Amino acid sequence: MRRAIEEERFVLVDSLSREVRADAKRADDDFRESVRAGLTATPKSLSCRHFYDAEGSALFEQICALPEYYPTRTEAAILRACASDVVECVGAAPQLVELGSGSAEKTRILIRAFLERHGELGFVPIDISPDALVQSSYALLNDFPALDVHAIAAQYVDGIAGLPVVEGSSRLVLWLGSSIGNADRAEAAAFLTQLHRSLGEQGAMLVGIDLRKDASVLERAYDDAAGVTARFNKNLLARINRELGGAFDLDRFEHRATYDAELGRVEMHLVARDEMTVPIRALELDVAFRAGESIHTENSYKYSTDEIQELADASGFRLEAQWFDESKLFSVNLLRP
């Protein structure tokens, strides 16, 4: 069985990698046009979806291990505490699907719990990076011989549309890491509504959602003492330099993270320290900055428990169960259609 799983995994990943390479020009064009639109807008902005090139992904892994960055370790602790409850709530062995699976480290907690209960499990990681899928899937197959992995290299919506059909099996979709916070509240509800339609009556979602809390805790999490998050944010400018012939001097921009309590979101910006004009050769564009002018790079929305209930209601879900850490920094939420 293990040999068959590995052979199938090789075939699937090779096929997806060819597809991703064929789409590389489209991805390059998207980056170019997104940068052009964002840096010629008022106010200036760059999309957070461009953070995760190879350098950005490596920096984010470092961020997850920082003492100030509580979400990763707190969510993992909640999952360790609630894994058996999740398995009990879900019932029969599901098709386990993960959006933005990355290294799937936290997912291992749930995989182990489902395997202990059911003996076998099908796992469908969806991630834009085929390299990350290859690496994480082989690590999982090595550690869990009864696991079957069907990986999909795609954006979330395309990946969900391409899910393999498993007769007689329910589906549990994982969306961990508070990735939902990168969308505004209306966008998050719209995306969950879209997912709702793909689950079927027996499906469910397990969603990690960061909670509202004191501004000082949040701002330290997004502006750490070691400066890793600053390097992560500035890597957007370095990427423009590498890929589009930009001439950004990273030292002339300051990383800034602030919490807007009214909107319930952390905002990340890159702020020009002085007046300058930055040429971007591939775009045939000169971008002028005033001293103190910012590029808005990310929002990270935080939720109250009432807002989580409102999100579930707005997207057609029933909030079946919630789990929190002792300090109520973070939540894991089980949603049913």
Side-chain angles (χ1 to χ4, degrees):
M1 180 179 179
R2 172 70 180 282
R3 182 181 177 85
I5 290 173
E6 289 188 352
E7 287 175 355
E8 180 183 353
R9 182 69 183 84
F10 268 115
V11 171
L12 177 63
V13 170
D14 285 348
S15 173
L16 286 170
S17 294
R18 285 194 295 271
E19 181 181 331
V20 170
R21 284 196 296 272
D23 286 346
K25 184 177 184 303
R26 185 173 66 185
D28 288 344
D29 290 345
D30 173 65
F31 181 53
R32 291 164 65 101
E33 293 313 307
S34 177
V35 169
R36 181 190 298 277
L39 293 185
T40 56
T42 304
K44 293 179 173 65
S45 65
L46 289 170
S47 173
C48 64
R49 73 177 185 274
H50 300 309
F51 274 137
Y52 299 97
D53 65 346
E55 178 68 16
S57 296
L59 285 167
F60 186 70
E61 289 296 318
Q62 294 179 43
I63 288 170
C64 290
L66 291 169
E68 298 98 328
Y69 194 75
Y70 63 86
T72 302
R73 64 176 179 272
T74 305
E75 185 178 40
I78 295 170
L79 290 172
R80 284 191 291 271
C82 77
S84 61
D85 291 340
V86 172
V87 171
E88 187 68 31
C89 288
V90 171
Q95 179 192 66
L96 189 64
V97 179
E98 183 169 18
L99 304 179
S101 56
S103 64
E105 281 302 312
K106 286 176 289 189
T107 315
R108 287 170 168 268
I109 299 165
L110 294 167
I111 288 173
R112 186 174 291 107
F114 277 111
L115 287 173
E116 287 174 355
R117 174 67 63 90
H118 301 293
E120 60 182 9
L121 183 69
F123 177 49
V124 186
I126 299 173
D127 199 282
I128 195 61
S129 169
D131 292 338
L133 285 170
V134 173
Q135 185 174 356
S136 64
S137 295
Y138 272 116
L140 290 169
L141 289 171
N142 184 63
D143 293 343
F144 300 106
L147 185 69
D148 185 6
V149 178
H150 181 126
I152 300 176
Q155 300 280 1
Y156 292 168
V157 173
D158 295 335
I160 289 291
L163 284 174
V165 176
V166 180
E167 295 295 334
S169 176
S170 61
R171 180 174 286 160
L172 177 62
V173 176
L174 309 178
W175 199 13
L176 303 177
S178 199
S179 297
I180 195 170
N182 292 134
D184 68 32
R185 300 186 199 282
E187 291 168 342
F191 182 65
L192 287 183
T193 300
Q194 214 171 359
L195 288 176
H196 178 281
R197 301 188 190 108
S198 73
L199 289 177
E201 292 183 2
Q202 302 304 312
M205 284 197 71
L206 194 69
V207 187
I209 303 179
D210 201 6
L211 300 176
R212 288 180 180 256
K213 59 186 66 67
D214 188 80
S216 63
V217 175
L218 288 165
E219 289 175 0
R220 283 197 301 270
Y222 289 83
D223 191 7
D224 59 278
V228 182
T229 312
R231 295 200 299 276
F232 174 73
N233 200 11
K234 290 184 180 185
N235 182 61
L236 273 173
L237 304 183
R239 184 178 176 188
I240 293 171
N241 289 351
R242 290 191 295 268
E243 298 182 24
L244 300 179
F248 282 98
D249 181 345
L250 274 55
D251 290 337
R252 295 177 73 181
F253 286 84
E254 173 191 352
H255 165 71
R256 186 174 297 168
T258 57
Y259 179 58
D260 185 320
E262 183 177 350
L263 294 176
R265 74 185 189 191
V266 176
E267 296 183 4
M268 290 210 318
H269 294 260
L270 291 165
V271 182
R273 296 181 187 276
D274 52 65
E275 185 176 326
M276 70 187 88
T277 298
V278 180
I280 304 176
R281 190 171 61 252
L283 301 183
E284 299 181 345
L285 181 68
D286 291 327
V287 184
F289 290 89
R290 304 182 309 276
E293 185 177 6
S294 82
I295 308 171
H296 190 172
T297 56
E298 185 179 37
N299 292 322
S300 185
Y301 282 84
K302 312 304 174 184
Y303 284 74
S304 67
T305 52
D306 286 344
E307 287 169 331
I308 293 173
Q309 182 64 64
E310 290 167 5
L311 177 65
D313 293 341
S315 51
F317 281 98
R318 171 170 53 88
L319 182 57
E320 181 169 305
Q322 282 183 303
W323 296 273
F324 305 95
D325 59 290
E326 288 184 1
S327 300
K328 273 206 166 181
L329 296 173
F330 201 91
S331 68
V332 172
N333 306 268
L334 184 66
L335 307 178
R336 291 274 193 186

